[in-house]
Amino acid sequence: MEKRLEPSRKKIGLALGSGAARGLAHIGVLAALEQAGIKIDMVAGTSMGSVIGAVYAGGKTVAEIRAKAAELGEKRFSLFVSRTLPKNGLIHGRKVEDVLRSIIGDKEFKDLDIPFACVASDIHTGQEVVLDYGLVHKAVRASCSIPVMFNVVERGGRYLVDGGLINPVPVSVVKAMGADFIIAVNALPDESKIKLAIKDPNIFTVIMQTLHLASYRGVKLSLVGADAVIEPDVAHISALDLHRSEECYWLGYIATRDAIKGIKAKLAG
């Protein structure tokens, strides 16, 4: 009797979008996907999505990432202090890079457990720059370099800032990496759903809201090609609310849990 060949499993790619503190919901997304038995084969991230994606691809467990997010949330103010006069941003960003290095280590992309890439924007040309080689923590630092707030990052003769300006949810990147099925996570809520009462906004809230408005314009285009889209209900979370990591975790977990049935049906189909 001739043996029937089992169909090969689809390679699942995960695109984690920008969103600053709202992007901490990605941790809950990872937890729910793992509990559902959905194995991620490759990850692409933008801004906060690049941070979570890099740490996960580097082998940290969801529990470890969750604990580190809570720890950093308590120390959030220290990330926005600079002892040197920045050249092209309000904050040098060295502390951010030091934190990323302490979590990721000196790993290069080729050393990661899961294939990973992140997105930055060329401040001169406005082009998307996909980073998938060299030291991971330096690439992630470029991907989340919020314009004006942090110094730009020089890499290979190009000056890079936050990837959310060009590709807020990097579906196209994870597709180019070879994914057969793409799960996209968008942590940028529609402006009409944001209910934050900002009275007398300071310079940081103005910068973050400006980045959000610019990035949101590209969300729909960046989601093209995704087989499943998860959108945690984070409209009431401020982009600077890093101390609300646990709340973001559960919002990501709940949104993903509710989407699991549909994702599995599509995968089976």
PDB file of all heavy atoms in Angstrom, residues 23-59:
ATOM      1  N   GLY A  23       2.748  48.883  22.800  1.00  0.00           N
ATOM      2  CA  GLY A  23       3.340  47.691  22.203  1.00  0.00           C
ATOM      3  C   GLY A  23       3.705  46.617  23.210  1.00  0.00           C
ATOM      4  O   GLY A  23       4.034  45.484  22.826  1.00  0.00           O
ATOM      5  N   LEU A  24       3.645  46.928  24.501  1.00  0.00           N
ATOM      6  CA  LEU A  24       3.884  45.909  25.520  1.00  0.00           C
ATOM      7  C   LEU A  24       2.799  44.836  25.475  1.00  0.00           C
ATOM      8  O   LEU A  24       2.968  43.747  26.027  1.00  0.00           O
ATOM      9  CB  LEU A  24       3.948  46.551  26.908  1.00  0.00           C
ATOM     10  CG  LEU A  24       5.147  47.492  27.138  1.00  0.00           C
ATOM     11  CD1 LEU A  24       4.975  48.246  28.453  1.00  0.00           C
ATOM     12  CD2 LEU A  24       6.451  46.714  27.124  1.00  0.00           C
ATOM     13  N   ALA A  25       1.705  45.124  24.788  1.00  0.00           N
ATOM     14  CA  ALA A  25       0.645  44.125  24.597  1.00  0.00           C
ATOM     15  C   ALA A  25       1.157  42.936  23.794  1.00  0.00           C
ATOM     16  O   ALA A  25       0.584  41.839  23.860  1.00  0.00           O
ATOM     17  CB  ALA A  25      -0.548  44.764  23.885  1.00  0.00           C
ATOM     18  N   HIS A  26       2.245  43.120  23.043  1.00  0.00           N
ATOM     19  CA  HIS A  26       2.823  42.015  22.265  1.00  0.00           C
ATOM     20  C   HIS A  26       3.213  40.832  23.159  1.00  0.00           C
ATOM     21  O   HIS A  26       3.189  39.687  22.720  1.00  0.00           O
ATOM     22  CB  HIS A  26       4.071  42.489  21.518  1.00  0.00           C
ATOM     23  CG  HIS A  26       3.808  43.528  20.473  1.00  0.00           C
ATOM     24  ND1 HIS A  26       2.697  43.520  19.659  1.00  0.00           N
ATOM     25  CD2 HIS A  26       4.531  44.633  20.108  1.00  0.00           C
ATOM     26  CE1 HIS A  26       2.747  44.555  18.836  1.00  0.00           C
ATOM     27  NE2 HIS A  26       3.851  45.239  19.090  1.00  0.00           N
ATOM     28  N   ILE A  27       3.565  41.128  24.405  1.00  0.00           N
ATOM     29  CA  ILE A  27       3.975  40.057  25.316  1.00  0.00           C
ATOM     30  C   ILE A  27       2.795  39.128  25.595  1.00  0.00           C
ATOM     31  O   ILE A  27       2.934  37.899  25.586  1.00  0.00           O
ATOM     32  CB  ILE A  27       4.525  40.641  26.635  1.00  0.00           C
ATOM     33  CG1 ILE A  27       5.640  41.648  26.353  1.00  0.00           C
ATOM     34  CG2 ILE A  27       5.045  39.516  27.541  1.00  0.00           C
ATOM     35  CD1 ILE A  27       6.098  42.425  27.586  1.00  0.00           C
ATOM     36  N   GLY A  28       1.623  39.703  25.812  1.00  0.00           N
ATOM     37  CA  GLY A  28       0.428  38.896  26.022  1.00  0.00           C
ATOM     38  C   GLY A  28       0.030  38.121  24.780  1.00  0.00           C
ATOM     39  O   GLY A  28      -0.475  36.998  24.864  1.00  0.00           O
ATOM     40  N   VAL A  29       0.284  38.721  23.616  1.00  0.00           N
ATOM     41  CA  VAL A  29       0.014  38.031  22.348  1.00  0.00           C
ATOM     42  C   VAL A  29       0.858  36.767  22.260  1.00  0.00           C
ATOM     43  O   VAL A  29       0.359  35.677  21.931  1.00  0.00           O
ATOM     44  CB  VAL A  29       0.319  38.956  21.150  1.00  0.00           C
ATOM     45  CG1 VAL A  29       0.240  38.173  19.836  1.00  0.00           C
ATOM     46  CG2 VAL A  29      -0.644  40.139  21.119  1.00  0.00           C
ATOM     47  N   LEU A  30       2.132  36.883  22.575  1.00  0.00           N
ATOM     48  CA  LEU A  30       3.037  35.728  22.536  1.00  0.00           C
ATOM     49  C   LEU A  30       2.585  34.641  23.500  1.00  0.00           C
ATOM     50  O   LEU A  30       2.615  33.451  23.170  1.00  0.00           O
ATOM     51  CB  LEU A  30       4.463  36.178  22.883  1.00  0.00           C
ATOM     52  CG  LEU A  30       5.167  37.057  21.846  1.00  0.00           C
ATOM     53  CD1 LEU A  30       6.450  37.639  22.434  1.00  0.00           C
ATOM     54  CD2 LEU A  30       5.478  36.262  20.588  1.00  0.00           C
ATOM     55  N   ALA A  31       2.143  35.046  24.684  1.00  0.00           N
ATOM     56  CA  ALA A  31       1.689  34.076  25.683  1.00  0.00           C
ATOM     57  C   ALA A  31       0.484  33.287  25.182  1.00  0.00           C
ATOM     58  O   ALA A  31       0.434  32.055  25.303  1.00  0.00           O
ATOM     59  CB  ALA A  31       1.344  34.794  26.991  1.00  0.00           C
ATOM     60  N   ALA A  32      -0.495  33.988  24.608  1.00  0.00           N
ATOM     61  CA  ALA A  32      -1.708  33.326  24.125  1.00  0.00           C
ATOM     62  C   ALA A  32      -1.412  32.409  22.939  1.00  0.00           C
ATOM     63  O   ALA A  32      -1.987  31.315  22.825  1.00  0.00           O
ATOM     64  CB  ALA A  32      -2.756  34.369  23.745  1.00  0.00           C
ATOM     65  N   LEU A  33      -0.527  32.830  22.052  1.00  0.00           N
ATOM     66  CA  LEU A  33      -0.162  31.993  20.903  1.00  0.00           C
ATOM     67  C   LEU A  33       0.534  30.714  21.374  1.00  0.00           C
ATOM     68  O   LEU A  33       0.257  29.620  20.870  1.00  0.00           O
ATOM     69  CB  LEU A  33       0.751  32.757  19.948  1.00  0.00           C
ATOM     70  CG  LEU A  33       0.102  33.918  19.160  1.00  0.00           C
ATOM     71  CD1 LEU A  33       1.163  34.681  18.376  1.00  0.00           C
ATOM     72  CD2 LEU A  33      -0.983  33.397  18.225  1.00  0.00           C
ATOM     73  N   GLU A  34       1.420  30.844  22.338  1.00  0.00           N
ATOM     74  CA  GLU A  34       2.111  29.669  22.868  1.00  0.00           C
ATOM     75  C   GLU A  34       1.134  28.702  23.518  1.00  0.00           C
ATOM     76  O   GLU A  34       1.200  27.487  23.308  1.00  0.00           O
ATOM     77  CB  GLU A  34       3.182  30.095  23.878  1.00  0.00           C
ATOM     78  CG  GLU A  34       4.454  30.607  23.251  1.00  0.00           C
ATOM     79  CD  GLU A  34       5.595  30.707  24.254  1.00  0.00           C
ATOM     80  OE1 GLU A  34       5.366  30.451  25.463  1.00  0.00           O
ATOM     81  OE2 GLU A  34       6.722  31.028  23.833  1.00  0.00           O
ATOM     82  N   GLN A  35       0.220  29.237  24.320  1.00  0.00           N
ATOM     83  CA  GLN A  35      -0.757  28.384  25.004  1.00  0.00           C
ATOM     84  C   GLN A  35      -1.669  27.668  24.023  1.00  0.00           C
ATOM     85  O   GLN A  35      -2.148  26.571  24.300  1.00  0.00           O
ATOM     86  CB  GLN A  35      -1.582  29.213  25.989  1.00  0.00           C
ATOM     87  CG  GLN A  35      -0.801  29.651  27.218  1.00  0.00           C
ATOM     88  CD  GLN A  35      -1.636  30.417  28.215  1.00  0.00           C
ATOM     89  OE1 GLN A  35      -2.870  30.401  28.149  1.00  0.00           O
ATOM     90  NE2 GLN A  35      -0.992  31.104  29.143  1.00  0.00           N
ATOM     91  N   ALA A  36      -1.884  28.283  22.868  1.00  0.00           N
ATOM     92  CA  ALA A  36      -2.732  27.671  21.844  1.00  0.00           C
ATOM     93  C   ALA A  36      -1.952  26.693  20.971  1.00  0.00           C
ATOM     94  O   ALA A  36      -2.527  26.061  20.082  1.00  0.00           O
ATOM     95  CB  ALA A  36      -3.358  28.761  20.972  1.00  0.00           C
ATOM     96  N   GLY A  37      -0.661  26.578  21.219  1.00  0.00           N
ATOM     97  CA  GLY A  37       0.159  25.649  20.445  1.00  0.00           C
ATOM     98  C   GLY A  37       0.529  26.148  19.067  1.00  0.00           C
ATOM     99  O   GLY A  37       0.888  25.356  18.187  1.00  0.00           O
ATOM    100  N   ILE A  38       0.471  27.463  18.859  1.00  0.00           N
ATOM    101  CA  ILE A  38       0.820  28.042  17.571  1.00  0.00           C
ATOM    102  C   ILE A  38       2.292  28.429  17.597  1.00  0.00           C
ATOM    103  O   ILE A  38       2.687  29.373  18.293  1.00  0.00           O
ATOM    104  CB  ILE A  38      -0.067  29.252  17.242  1.00  0.00           C
ATOM    105  CG1 ILE A  38      -1.526  28.810  17.117  1.00  0.00           C
ATOM    106  CG2 ILE A  38       0.399  29.934  15.951  1.00  0.00           C
ATOM    107  CD1 ILE A  38      -2.501  29.946  16.891  1.00  0.00           C
ATOM    108  N   LYS A  39       3.106  27.713  16.847  1.00  0.00           N
ATOM    109  CA  LYS A  39       4.556  27.912  16.849  1.00  0.00           C
ATOM    110  C   LYS A  39       4.947  28.987  15.838  1.00  0.00           C
ATOM    111  O   LYS A  39       4.569  28.931  14.675  1.00  0.00           O
ATOM    112  CB  LYS A  39       5.269  26.607  16.502  1.00  0.00           C
ATOM    113  CG  LYS A  39       6.788  26.681  16.531  1.00  0.00           C
ATOM    114  CD  LYS A  39       7.383  25.299  16.265  1.00  0.00           C
ATOM    115  CE  LYS A  39       8.906  25.336  16.334  1.00  0.00           C
ATOM    116  NZ  LYS A  39       9.536  25.894  15.168  1.00  0.00           N
ATOM    117  N   ILE A  40       5.696  29.954  16.307  1.00  0.00           N
ATOM    118  CA  ILE A  40       6.159  31.040  15.451  1.00  0.00           C
ATOM    119  C   ILE A  40       7.512  30.674  14.852  1.00  0.00           C
ATOM    120  O   ILE A  40       8.441  30.311  15.577  1.00  0.00           O
ATOM    121  CB  ILE A  40       6.263  32.355  16.253  1.00  0.00           C
ATOM    122  CG1 ILE A  40       4.906  32.728  16.857  1.00  0.00           C
ATOM    123  CG2 ILE A  40       6.786  33.470  15.361  1.00  0.00           C
ATOM    124  CD1 ILE A  40       3.789  32.890  15.849  1.00  0.00           C
ATOM    125  N   ASP A  41       7.621  30.774  13.543  1.00  0.00           N
ATOM    126  CA  ASP A  41       8.855  30.383  12.856  1.00  0.00           C
ATOM    127  C   ASP A  41       9.777  31.555  12.556  1.00  0.00           C
ATOM    128  O   ASP A  41      10.974  31.368  12.341  1.00  0.00           O
ATOM    129  CB  ASP A  41       8.505  29.671  11.545  1.00  0.00           C
ATOM    130  CG  ASP A  41       7.730  28.384  11.790  1.00  0.00           C
ATOM    131  OD1 ASP A  41       8.317  27.435  12.325  1.00  0.00           O
ATOM    132  OD2 ASP A  41       6.529  28.352  11.452  1.00  0.00           O
ATOM    133  N   MET A  42       9.226  32.767  12.517  1.00  0.00           N
ATOM    134  CA  MET A  42      10.033  33.952  12.230  1.00  0.00           C
ATOM    135  C   MET A  42       9.295  35.192  12.719  1.00  0.00           C
ATOM    136  O   MET A  42       8.058  35.197  12.800  1.00  0.00           O
ATOM    137  CB  MET A  42      10.333  34.063  10.735  1.00  0.00           C
ATOM    138  CG  MET A  42       9.112  34.143   9.859  1.00  0.00           C
ATOM    139  SD  MET A  42       9.451  33.675   8.131  1.00  0.00           S
ATOM    140  CE  MET A  42       9.672  31.897   8.286  1.00  0.00           C
ATOM    141  N   VAL A  43      10.061  36.223  13.047  1.00  0.00           N
ATOM    142  CA  VAL A  43       9.476  37.441  13.611  1.00  0.00           C
ATOM    143  C   VAL A  43      10.093  38.669  12.953  1.00  0.00           C
ATOM    144  O   VAL A  43      11.299  38.718  12.712  1.00  0.00           O
ATOM    145  CB  VAL A  43       9.712  37.527  15.137  1.00  0.00           C
ATOM    146  CG1 VAL A  43       9.052  38.783  15.710  1.00  0.00           C
ATOM    147  CG2 VAL A  43       9.217  36.296  15.860  1.00  0.00           C
ATOM    148  N   ALA A  44       9.243  39.659  12.682  1.00  0.00           N
ATOM    149  CA  ALA A  44       9.722  40.979  12.263  1.00  0.00           C
ATOM    150  C   ALA A  44       9.071  41.996  13.178  1.00  0.00           C
ATOM    151  O   ALA A  44       7.902  41.853  13.559  1.00  0.00           O
ATOM    152  CB  ALA A  44       9.368  41.261  10.811  1.00  0.00           C
ATOM    153  N   GLY A  45       9.820  43.023  13.560  1.00  0.00           N
ATOM    154  CA  GLY A  45       9.277  44.009  14.483  1.00  0.00           C
ATOM    155  C   GLY A  45       9.649  45.429  14.120  1.00  0.00           C
ATOM    156  O   GLY A  45      10.687  45.676  13.507  1.00  0.00           O
ATOM    157  N   THR A  46       8.789  46.354  14.525  1.00  0.00           N
ATOM    158  CA  THR A  46       9.040  47.781  14.355  1.00  0.00           C
ATOM    159  C   THR A  46       8.935  48.460  15.711  1.00  0.00           C
ATOM    160  O   THR A  46       7.980  48.219  16.448  1.00  0.00           O
ATOM    161  CB  THR A  46       8.024  48.417  13.390  1.00  0.00           C
ATOM    162  OG1 THR A  46       8.158  47.836  12.089  1.00  0.00           O
ATOM    163  CG2 THR A  46       8.232  49.916  13.288  1.00  0.00           C
ATOM    164  N   SER A  47       9.917  49.295  16.049  1.00  0.00           N
ATOM    165  CA  SER A  47       9.905  50.077  17.280  1.00  0.00           C
ATOM    166  C   SER A  47       9.730  49.155  18.500  1.00  0.00           C
ATOM    167  O   SER A  47      10.547  48.267  18.704  1.00  0.00           O
ATOM    168  CB  SER A  47       8.817  51.150  17.198  1.00  0.00           C
ATOM    169  OG  SER A  47       9.031  52.163  18.152  1.00  0.00           O
ATOM    170  N   MET A  48       8.682  49.346  19.321  1.00  0.00           N
ATOM    171  CA  MET A  48       8.509  48.466  20.478  1.00  0.00           C
ATOM    172  C   MET A  48       8.348  47.009  20.034  1.00  0.00           C
ATOM    173  O   MET A  48       8.779  46.085  20.727  1.00  0.00           O
ATOM    174  CB  MET A  48       7.296  48.897  21.317  1.00  0.00           C
ATOM    175  CG  MET A  48       7.059  48.027  22.553  1.00  0.00           C
ATOM    176  SD  MET A  48       8.451  47.981  23.718  1.00  0.00           S
ATOM    177  CE  MET A  48       8.152  49.508  24.634  1.00  0.00           C
ATOM    178  N   GLY A  49       7.762  46.801  18.869  1.00  0.00           N
ATOM    179  CA  GLY A  49       7.648  45.445  18.333  1.00  0.00           C
ATOM    180  C   GLY A  49       9.005  44.823  18.071  1.00  0.00           C
ATOM    181  O   GLY A  49       9.186  43.613  18.202  1.00  0.00           O
ATOM    182  N   SER A  50       9.995  45.662  17.730  1.00  0.00           N
ATOM    183  CA  SER A  50      11.345  45.145  17.510  1.00  0.00           C
ATOM    184  C   SER A  50      11.988  44.743  18.823  1.00  0.00           C
ATOM    185  O   SER A  50      12.745  43.775  18.889  1.00  0.00           O
ATOM    186  CB  SER A  50      12.208  46.191  16.787  1.00  0.00           C
ATOM    187  OG  SER A  50      12.622  47.225  17.648  1.00  0.00           O
ATOM    188  N   VAL A  51      11.687  45.484  19.896  1.00  0.00           N
ATOM    189  CA  VAL A  51      12.238  45.149  21.217  1.00  0.00           C
ATOM    190  C   VAL A  51      11.711  43.798  21.683  1.00  0.00           C
ATOM    191  O   VAL A  51      12.479  42.888  22.029  1.00  0.00           O
ATOM    192  CB  VAL A  51      11.878  46.239  22.250  1.00  0.00           C
ATOM    193  CG1 VAL A  51      12.404  45.843  23.628  1.00  0.00           C
ATOM    194  CG2 VAL A  51      12.437  47.592  21.837  1.00  0.00           C
ATOM    195  N   ILE A  52      10.381  43.657  21.680  1.00  0.00           N
ATOM    196  CA  ILE A  52       9.764  42.402  22.138  1.00  0.00           C
ATOM    197  C   ILE A  52      10.163  41.251  21.221  1.00  0.00           C
ATOM    198  O   ILE A  52      10.499  40.157  21.680  1.00  0.00           O
ATOM    199  CB  ILE A  52       8.227  42.533  22.181  1.00  0.00           C
ATOM    200  CG1 ILE A  52       7.805  43.735  23.044  1.00  0.00           C
ATOM    201  CG2 ILE A  52       7.607  41.247  22.710  1.00  0.00           C
ATOM    202  CD1 ILE A  52       8.274  43.694  24.471  1.00  0.00           C
ATOM    203  N   GLY A  53      10.150  41.492  19.924  1.00  0.00           N
ATOM    204  CA  GLY A  53      10.493  40.441  18.965  1.00  0.00           C
ATOM    205  C   GLY A  53      11.923  39.968  19.104  1.00  0.00           C
ATOM    206  O   GLY A  53      12.201  38.763  19.049  1.00  0.00           O
ATOM    207  N   ALA A  54      12.853  40.900  19.314  1.00  0.00           N
ATOM    208  CA  ALA A  54      14.265  40.534  19.442  1.00  0.00           C
ATOM    209  C   ALA A  54      14.512  39.702  20.689  1.00  0.00           C
ATOM    210  O   ALA A  54      15.256  38.706  20.649  1.00  0.00           O
ATOM    211  CB  ALA A  54      15.130  41.789  19.475  1.00  0.00           C
ATOM    212  N   VAL A  55      13.910  40.102  21.789  1.00  0.00           N
ATOM    213  CA  VAL A  55      14.110  39.366  23.044  1.00  0.00           C
ATOM    214  C   VAL A  55      13.515  37.961  22.939  1.00  0.00           C
ATOM    215  O   VAL A  55      14.125  36.981  23.379  1.00  0.00           O
ATOM    216  CB  VAL A  55      13.479  40.138  24.221  1.00  0.00           C
ATOM    217  CG1 VAL A  55      13.648  39.353  25.524  1.00  0.00           C
ATOM    218  CG2 VAL A  55      14.121  41.516  24.371  1.00  0.00           C
ATOM    219  N   TYR A  56      12.355  37.864  22.323  1.00  0.00           N
ATOM    220  CA  TYR A  56      11.709  36.555  22.148  1.00  0.00           C
ATOM    221  C   TYR A  56      12.521  35.674  21.198  1.00  0.00           C
ATOM    222  O   TYR A  56      12.756  34.494  21.473  1.00  0.00           O
ATOM    223  CB  TYR A  56      10.296  36.758  21.606  1.00  0.00           C
ATOM    224  CG  TYR A  56       9.477  35.480  21.521  1.00  0.00           C
ATOM    225  CD1 TYR A  56       9.028  34.847  22.678  1.00  0.00           C
ATOM    226  CD2 TYR A  56       9.130  34.930  20.291  1.00  0.00           C
ATOM    227  CE1 TYR A  56       8.267  33.682  22.609  1.00  0.00           C
ATOM    228  CE2 TYR A  56       8.377  33.772  20.219  1.00  0.00           C
ATOM    229  CZ  TYR A  56       7.939  33.158  21.377  1.00  0.00           C
ATOM    230  OH  TYR A  56       7.192  32.001  21.299  1.00  0.00           O
ATOM    231  N   ALA A  57      12.973  36.245  20.100  1.00  0.00           N
ATOM    232  CA  ALA A  57      13.770  35.486  19.136  1.00  0.00           C
ATOM    233  C   ALA A  57      15.105  35.056  19.725  1.00  0.00           C
ATOM    234  O   ALA A  57      15.703  34.065  19.307  1.00  0.00           O
ATOM    235  CB  ALA A  57      14.012  36.328  17.874  1.00  0.00           C
ATOM    236  N   GLY A  58      15.563  35.809  20.735  1.00  0.00           N
ATOM    237  CA  GLY A  58      16.817  35.486  21.384  1.00  0.00           C
ATOM    238  C   GLY A  58      16.725  34.374  22.401  1.00  0.00           C
ATOM    239  O   GLY A  58      17.737  33.978  22.979  1.00  0.00           O
ATOM    240  N   GLY A  59      15.515  33.861  22.638  1.00  0.00           N
ATOM    241  CA  GLY A  59      15.369  32.703  23.514  1.00  0.00           C
ATOM    242  C   GLY A  59      14.770  32.972  24.879  1.00  0.00           C
ATOM    243  O   GLY A  59      14.583  32.038  25.665  1.00  0.00           O
TER     244      GLY A  59
END
